[in-house]
């Protein structure tokens, strides 16, 4: 399942695998920069630069306490990995936890979301979320606040054919 996400980062951003920071080891770390330009009458009003970051890790057993512990680690690491561009921005950190055993605690996983405004919301915001995925890929559980990001990450890459 995470191969689809890995391909997105290889195509549109950067990917480091394996990735280690502060004694925490991940299968990979991906970063994609997204620019949104607002224009009025063909004039550029402003540009919002945002980043999508994904840290991926396999966990052997789907256990709520483990997911919560990993989420707390993500919130600490996000501040170290965060890039702060000049203008207004939103950075989204996704912790992709893939498991092969146990039932995913769906309600609790959907609550593993954190959002913090930077400089009273004038500079931007940082958000963190956990996405739990079964290795077979038959189930993905995540907070609704990151639904559009997850849909984009898991959408198929279009290959142009000549």
């Amino acid at each position: 399942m995470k191969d689809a996400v890995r391909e997105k980062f290889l195509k549109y951003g950067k990917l480091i695998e394996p990735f280690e920071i502060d004694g925490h080891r991940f299968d990979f770390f991906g970063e994609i920069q997204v620019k949104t330009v607002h224009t009025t009458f063909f004039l550029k009003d402003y540009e919002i630069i945002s980043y999508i970051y994904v840290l991926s890790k396999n966990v052997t057993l789907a256990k709520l306490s483990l997911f919560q512990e990993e989420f707390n680690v993500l919130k600490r690491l996000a501040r170290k990995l965060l890039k702060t561009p000049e203008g207004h921005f939103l950075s989204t950190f996704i912790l992709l936890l893939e498991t092969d055993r146990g039932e995913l605690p769906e309600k609790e996983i959907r609550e593993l979301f954190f959002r913090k405004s930077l400089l009273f919301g004038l500079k931007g915001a940082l958000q963190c979320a956990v996405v739990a995925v079964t290795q077979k890929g038959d189930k993905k559980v995540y907070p609704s606040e990151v639904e559009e990001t997850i849909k984009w990450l898991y959408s198929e890459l279009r290959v142009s054919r000549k």
Side-chain angles (χ1 to χ4, degrees), residues 125-154:
L126 160 72
Q127 61 185 22
C128 301
V130 167
V131 176
V133 181
T134 57
Q135 278 189 337
K136 294 177 187 172
D138 55 350
K139 188 180 273 190
K140 287 187 278 295
V141 182
Y142 48 85
S144 61
E145 293 88 346
V146 294
E147 183 169 12
E148 291 304 312
T149 302
I150 301 307
K151 284 181 178 178
W152 182 78
L153 284 174
Y154 278 96

